[in-house]
Amino acid sequence: MRQLTRSFRIMAITSVASIALVSPAIAQETNITQDAPATSEVSNEIIVTATRREQSVLDVPISIAVVTADEISKRGMVSAEDYLRGIPGVNQTSDPVGSSIIIRGLETSPSFQNFSSGTTVATYFGETPITNSGGLAANTNVDIKLVDIERIEVLRGPQGTSFGDSSLGGAVRVIPARPKTDKVEGHVGAGYSHTGGYGGDNYMLQGTVNVPVIADVLAIRATGYRFSDSGYYRDNANVDPTLQQAAVFYGAEPYANAYSNIGSSKFTGARISALVQPTENLTLQLSYLSQKTELNGNALANSGTYDQALFDVAPQHVIRGQKSGASDMDIDLFNATLEYDLDWGSLLATYSHIDSSALNSSSYSQSNPIWPFSYIQDGKHKEDTGEIRFVSDLSGRFNFLVGAFVQKLTDDAIFNYRWLGTDVANAVTPPGPNDFLDNRSLKQKSAYGEASYEIIDGLTATGGIRYYEYERTVATQTSGAFFGDSNEVIASKSSGTTFRGNLSYKLNPTAMVYATFSQGFRLGKPQPGLPAGVCDLNNDGIVDGSSVTLASTKLTRSDETNNYEIGSKFGLFQNRLTGSVAAFLMDWDGVPFRTSAPQAPTGCGLTYNANAGSARTKGVELQASLAVTDSLRADFGGSYIDAKLTEDAPELGAFSGDRLPGSPKFNANLSLQYDFDAAGHPTFIRVDSIYVGEFYGDIYQSPATKAGDYVKIDLTSRIKFGQLGVDLYVQNLTNEDVYTFRGTSDTGRDFFGYRMRPRTIGARINYSF
């Protein structure tokens, strides 16, 4: 099997390299019409709204990847990791408290982002920003499942003017399908699969129905889904010699037990939308979404390939009876969007409300030394956003858009730590709970505008600006010897401006070149900082064991990126070959890092965020789609990213030239799809492969955080019987047993991190009407 795996990997890498490392299937910019004559022009135009106006993706002068509804269906995509890791210039990491998106290498803290510096990528579901919806107890945004989705737009490069805060590296927009007032339609689907190794059975059910209540005036669209996936890790704490030794030493033997099916999950969701169009020019859409996520255990390996050895959680931290730990996330999202077409432009007003929560319990025993600690994180997130914008549609050379945005959000989180061993053996902290209460609030408002002018036929200049101001408050309360006793409120406010400039030239109707300067920003924030009671014992205002002031640990400043980019979009051979290429250089100022105070005995060892200096990332992204014949299509792509610090940060032990974490230098993709007729039934077979290069989970390039360097191959086949489709598929064909991400815990173990799901074989049935 190892030889087979190696052969597949070499074959996939060689195939991709031989066609110049260009775009992945899932990042395709056009769909190829399968029954087009060999000499005719292939045309199935994709319309996007990445620039806040409807345009063909080949006319948008920015680097953008599009995942279509057809692609989602054919590949059975469910979660963000199903498509993000296969897009040039993009990586995605997952851990038990969520996922992180990294575009063009811009990241310093790939794990636990919301609590630390925040994400570098803005995420949207329709018109609703969901960037912070994971709250303080999770990573970034809630991963809303890809059911009844029209398309996904991945915008590479800073999007500060159009999409505001957190779009330092780019933005990801998931666009759900809208209700249709002219026809009844829908689909139902069911699936079963089995995961090898320690895995088991997986199930899926989903359905959508669209009903015009009043023809051409009122329609309702409803979607529901349930995904149940087995875990594929095993906890062998009862026999692991290292953990057993710690259990005896600290008197924690009752909490060293064995469990199977670690990492099993359930996702249950529903969405309902109503669209009202009382006149031809006026449209109102109301939508509500609810999703509940349940994850059992801590889905990581720390004692073997898919093995772990962790203490149970404390009785007070047990969730849903899961003594091995659990993670639950819930989101309720309401949106109202009003659109009015003025003929010479369109006016849009939108309001969204989010209620979300994250509850995580875990053992601290993956650390080094192995301490029998248990902790729970309970976070609540509330957010209200509103936006109004006008987009012109003038017939002349000049067009513009203007908009205003307001946001108010609050995050509340409680972090509780408990000792599992005997009081006598407790060398870390005196008996009793240790609590950390964190409350944060944000008020933000901004105004933005953009104007474009066609200087001569085909040559267009565009300029944009966004002004923002914000106020942030953090209130913390700590108790217990682990954190010390404190009660503190810190506030800050600031403002800023970002700019965008673009020059594009249409060489012909299917080819464009462009040059762009754009900026992105992430809001600064006050933060809990380090507690004086345990990190400044001599009360001199300096963190013990360092030269860092205690006050500086309580604030991170806003950071921003400047992006310089040139690129091209093209359609050749009657659009049988379409694609894009972009080269970029980005400067990142005020880079924040998650770092630690010196360890005992000189310091307290607690973590905090710090602006560490500056960084630069540069690279190339290529993607293309080729209709080889009427029946055979190839999508291919890849990227090279060089992301490094450009300024020493000696207090963090990081220096100029150190590589930024979380993103590989290289990734590549190759997908092939062959369509044919099987006894009168339309059939296709496709293979999708991605290569994710080597990367590290921290700035120090620690061996324990090395991940990536793998090829993942999936096979799918579908045969259609009228409106019924039957899929057979294999995911992770070669059964790659590799790390997809490794965190920053100092485990001192060869095995620590989050591994790819073993080979999974399954079938799906879909019926459309």
Side-chain angles (χ1 to χ4, degrees), residues 360-425:
N360 307 295
S361 66
S362 180
S363 167
Y364 196 70
S365 54
Q366 67 263 31
S367 63
N368 183 31
I370 299 176
W371 286 336
F373 257 106
S374 167
Y375 65 89
I376 193 167
Q377 306 167 167
D378 188 358
K380 309 292 183 185
H381 175 85
K382 291 183 182 295
E383 182 173 354
D384 292 279
T385 57
E387 184 170 1
I388 184 169
R389 65 176 178 265
F390 179 80
V391 181
S392 72
D393 187 17
L394 305 176
S395 57
R397 293 182 180 271
F398 176 75
N399 269 292
F400 68 94
L401 69 86
V402 292
F405 173 82
V406 294
Q407 179 186 48
K408 180 181 179 181
L409 65 84
T410 59
D411 283 300
D412 297 285
I414 299 174
F415 303 87
N416 176 258
Y417 291 73
R418 290 182 179 270
W419 177 257
L420 301 178
T422 63
D423 291 348
V424 174

Side-chain angles (χ1 to χ4, degrees), residues 8 16 35 47 55 64 75 79 154 169 187 263 289 325 354 397 422 494 528 570 580 613 622 636 650 678 716 752 768:
F8 267 111
V16 176
D35 57 357
I47 302 299
Q55 290 179 282
I64 178 175
R75 297 188 62 182
S79 301
V154 181
H187 76 268
L289 175 146
I354 294 176
R397 293 182 180 271
T422 63
S494 188
F570 57 86
S580 67
L622 305 118
F636 40 94
T716 309
F752 176 78
S768 301

Side-chain angles (χ1 to χ4, degrees), residues 502-618:
N502 180 276
L503 191 65
S504 64
Y505 183 64
K506 292 282 291 185
L507 300 169
N508 57 54
T510 61
M512 169 200 288
V513 292
Y514 67 88
T516 289
F517 168 77
S518 60
Q519 293 183 310
F521 68 97
R522 179 171 49 182
L523 301 180
K525 59 184 175 182
Q527 58 191 15
L530 295 177
V534 293
C535 295
D536 183 19
L537 297 181
N538 59 4
N539 296 315
D540 64 351
I542 305 297
V543 177
D544 294 341
S546 77
S547 60
V548 175
T549 64
L550 195 68
S552 70
T553 71
K554 300 182 184 298
L555 176 70
T556 53
R557 305 181 306 276
S558 296
D559 54 319
E560 67 176 33
T561 51
N562 294 317
N563 176 55
Y564 309 88
E565 179 178 331
I566 57 173
S568 174
K569 305 285 184 78
F570 57 86
L572 305 173
F573 313 116
Q574 290 82 43
N575 272 3
R576 300 190 73 83
L577 173 64
T578 61
S580 67
V581 58
F584 64 89
L585 184 150
M586 296 173 62
D587 287 321
W588 187 7
D589 295 322
V591 181
F593 281 88
R594 188 74 175 160
T595 188
S596 299
Q599 296 290 332
T602 58
C604 61
L606 298 179
T607 60
Y608 66 101
N609 301 314
N611 294 95
S614 59
R616 170 171 289 180
T617 175
K618 55 187 177 182

Side-chain angles (χ1 to χ4, degrees), residues 114-424:
N114 280 353
F115 186 82
S116 53
S117 304
T119 178
T120 58
V121 176
T123 49
Y124 278 72
F125 187 80
E127 292 290 342
T128 304
I130 58 172
T131 308
N132 303 296
S133 57
L136 298 180
N139 227 358
T140 51
N141 61 291
V142 177
D143 186 13
I144 297 173
K145 299 309 170 186
L146 303 178
V147 181
D148 198 33
I149 299 301
E150 180 179 310
R151 70 183 182 277
I152 302 166
E153 299 175 6
V154 181
L155 286 60
R156 292 171 290 224
Q159 306 295 323
T161 302
S162 297
F163 295 99
D165 174 34
S166 296
S167 59
L168 288 164
V172 176
R173 306 177 65 224
V174 178
I175 314 296
R178 286 163 57 101
K180 298 178 181 178
T181 60
D182 58 348
K183 62 179 178 180
V184 175
E185 68 174 15
H187 76 268
V188 292
Y192 165 80
S193 64
H194 182 83
T195 299
Y198 299 150
D201 298 331
N202 316 297
Y203 304 92
M204 176 274 288
L205 289 171
Q206 60 175 278
T208 297
V209 62
N210 183 94
V211 179
V213 179
I214 302 175
D216 300 322
V217 176
L218 171 63
I220 294 177
R221 192 176 188 94
T223 296
Y225 52 88
R226 176 72 174 266
F227 298 93
S228 179
D229 293 329
S230 68
Y232 52 93
Y233 297 91
R234 179 182 66 180
D235 193 323
N236 57 9
N238 62 328
V239 295
D240 183 85
T242 304
L243 188 127
Q244 282 293 313
Q245 182 180 11
V248 172
F249 182 82
Y250 293 114
E253 296 97 322
Y255 297 97
N257 298 297
Y259 300 95
S260 59
N261 203 29
I262 295 293
S264 62
S265 61
K266 291 180 181 179
F267 302 91
T268 305
R271 189 170 74 245
I272 185 167
S273 302
L275 187 144
V276 185
Q277 193 167 14
T279 70
E280 183 179 351
N281 294 338
L282 180 65
T283 303
L284 171 66
Q285 183 173 340
L286 303 173
S287 62
Y288 172 73
L289 175 146
S290 180
Q291 179 177 288
K292 182 178 181 63
T293 302
E294 298 179 352
L295 177 69
N296 297 331
N298 291 279
L300 61 84
N302 79 331
S303 69
T305 304
Y306 288 95
D307 290 314
Q308 62 178 229
L310 301 174
F311 284 112
D312 294 358
V313 298
Q316 299 89 340
H317 297 165
V318 173
I319 302 172
R320 292 183 285 98
Q322 298 296 316
K323 295 182 180 180
S324 59
S327 297
D328 290 355
M329 294 186 69
D330 302 286
I331 184 170
D332 291 283
L333 185 157
F334 169 78
N335 173 262
T337 298
L338 183 68
E339 299 176 76
Y340 188 72
D341 187 349
L342 298 171
D343 294 329
W344 61 278
S346 61
L347 181 68
L348 180 144
T350 183
Y351 164 77
S352 298
H353 175 77
I354 294 176
D355 270 308
S356 58
S357 64
L359 180 65
N360 307 295
S361 66
S362 180
S363 167
Y364 196 70
S365 54
Q366 67 263 31
S367 63
N368 183 31
I370 299 176
W371 286 336
F373 257 106
S374 167
Y375 65 89
I376 193 167
Q377 306 167 167
D378 188 358
K380 309 292 183 185
H381 175 85
K382 291 183 182 295
E383 182 173 354
D384 292 279
T385 57
E387 184 170 1
I388 184 169
R389 65 176 178 265
F390 179 80
V391 181
S392 72
D393 187 17
L394 305 176
S395 57
R397 293 182 180 271
F398 176 75
N399 269 292
F400 68 94
L401 69 86
V402 292
F405 173 82
V406 294
Q407 179 186 48
K408 180 181 179 181
L409 65 84
T410 59
D411 283 300
D412 297 285
I414 299 174
F415 303 87
N416 176 258
Y417 291 73
R418 290 182 179 270
W419 177 257
L420 301 178
T422 63
D423 291 348
V424 174

